[in-house]
Amino acid sequence: MRFSRVLRTGALVAAVGLTLAACGQPNSEEDANKSLVQRAEDNGALTIGVKIDQPGLGLKKPNGSYEGFDVDVAKYVAKELGVEEGDIEFVETPSAQRENMIQKGDVDMIVATYSITPERDKAVDFAGPYFLAHQDLLVREGDNSIQGAEDLNKNKKLCSVKGSTSAQNVRDDFAPNAQLQEYGGYSECLTGVENKAIDAMTTDDTILAGYAAQQPGKFKLVGAELSNENYGIGLRQGDSEGKQALDEAIQKMIDSGEWKKAAQKHFGPAGYEVPEPPTVGEVVE
């Protein structure tokens, strides 16, 4: 397998600084260089990057709240760091901006279907993995022209998201001749499949299952396991204390049964068979 007149300006800057501190974002170089554990303890708050358009994983609801498996994982590990749900600020983290947002200190950590890869590991550190997914294909219900990756080379239009490992896998490996379209978000890809501007959408099976479950009878998963996607929690590179604390929190979630409970809650309705939890600290290639 494969694998964000002088006195008035000064007051505004001060207010912004206080707001960022309250949200758990670093407001000084000293704070930015603290471990995740220390920042959580000092600020009593965390800023966590998530996706906002992935049903079942990370979805922002009309009332402003967030739900999904990744969100549940984020809440659980934050609580293990001493931060309650009400003191978490969730921030959207587009795939192509994740490393930059961690490095700039815009977020304390990212829990957003963030696959652990050697390339990303050069820029940020990862805790976990906390889930093992597989890249798959989503097509319109009734369209049998795509049975596997090889069919994508037959002049098929394929959609993925900019900055995702799925897009890179398409280019480099299983369908180099596919007409790859890279959009900013998964919802745009789904719209393209629905209106027949796109033949198939590719990303992790967990994400595709969430979208398929929202509109029963409209879409289906092909069932191709095109790669292993080890979801990890991204954090600042070199933060060994933070990584260890997150690894321990993930393991506790698994051992307590809360991991399985959350996975079944968010993936079960789509008919997705929840796999066994991964081994923390072991990346499956």
Side-chain angles (χ1 to χ4, degrees), residues 38-276:
Q38 192 62 54
R39 291 202 304 277
E41 183 178 334
D42 291 349
N43 300 328
L46 287 169
T47 301
I48 303 178
V50 294
K51 290 297 181 68
I52 67 169
D53 65 344
Q54 293 180 353
L57 287 153
L59 185 67
K60 186 175 183 179
K61 300 170 68 177
N63 64 5
S65 64
Y66 296 81
E67 67 176 13
F69 180 74
D70 282 352
V71 174
D72 284 354
V73 171
K75 291 176 181 177
Y76 190 96
V77 299
K79 189 170 184 178
E80 289 300 305
L81 293 175
V83 176
E84 298 296 328
E85 180 179 337
D87 294 315
I88 299 172
E89 179 186 11
F90 288 112
V91 175
E92 180 185 8
T93 47
S95 295
Q97 298 177 28
R98 288 178 294 202
E99 289 82 33
N100 188 46
M101 292 181 74
I102 292 174
Q103 292 169 341
K104 288 172 58 181
D106 294 335
V107 293
D108 294 304
M109 60 179 170
I110 290 179
V111 191
T113 60
Y114 203 1
S115 297
I116 303 171
T117 68
E119 183 178 1
R120 290 171 177 168
D121 210 29
K122 296 175 184 177
V124 299
D125 277 350
F126 286 99
Y130 64 88
F131 198 90
L132 178 61
H134 305 284
Q135 185 174 350
D136 202 350
L137 303 168
L138 179 141
V139 299
R140 292 179 294 278
E141 185 68 53
D143 181 0
N144 298 316
S145 66
I146 300 175
Q147 301 290 330
E150 62 280 358
D151 293 323
L152 297 173
N153 289 313
K154 301 174 183 177
N155 204 33
K156 296 294 185 181
K157 294 180 180 179
L158 179 69
C159 185
S160 192
V161 172
K162 294 177 182 177
S164 69
T165 56
S166 299
Q168 186 169 340
N169 288 341
V170 172
R171 282 191 298 264
D172 299 345
D173 199 351
F174 61 81
N177 295 322
Q179 297 183 41
L180 179 63
Q181 309 290 318
E182 293 185 75
Y183 292 172
Y186 294 103
S187 297
E188 297 171 63
C189 284
L190 191 71
T191 299
V193 175
E194 184 175 11
N195 63 26
K196 299 185 179 182
I198 299 294
D199 295 303
M201 167 181 170
T202 186
T203 186
D204 303 349
D205 50 9
T206 50
I207 300 172
L208 298 177
Y211 281 115
Q214 280 200 321
Q215 302 184 61
K218 275 195 174 184
F219 308 102
K220 65 178 180 180
L221 275 67
V222 171
E225 292 189 2
L226 303 176
S227 68
N228 291 320
E229 303 297 335
N230 298 266
Y231 292 169
I233 299 178
L235 69 160
R236 180 177 57 81
Q237 193 170 50
D239 186 0
S240 57
E241 183 183 12
K243 181 181 184 305
Q244 181 178 346
L246 289 174
D247 279 343
E248 292 174 355
I250 294 168
Q251 190 62 57
K252 185 175 179 180
M253 185 178 186
I254 291 171
D255 294 342
S256 68
E258 288 301 310
W259 182 95
K260 186 174 183 179
K261 180 180 177 181
Q264 290 179 330
K265 172 186 175 182
H266 294 294
F267 303 138
Y272 178 83
E273 186 175 348
V274 176
E276 290 298 312

Side-chain angles (χ1 to χ4, degrees), residues 5-62:
R5 321 258 179 216
V6 174
L7 289 176
R8 294 176 63 187
T9 302
L12 176 60
V13 169
V16 170
L18 289 172
T19 300
L20 292 177
C23 293
Q25 289 181 312
N27 59 4
S28 69
E29 184 176 348
E30 180 183 1
D31 195 44
N33 290 328
K34 290 179 181 177
S35 75
L36 176 64
V37 174
Q38 192 62 54
R39 291 202 304 277
E41 183 178 334
D42 291 349
N43 300 328
L46 287 169
T47 301
I48 303 178
V50 294
K51 290 297 181 68
I52 67 169
D53 65 344
Q54 293 180 353
L57 287 153
L59 185 67
K60 186 175 183 179
K61 300 170 68 177

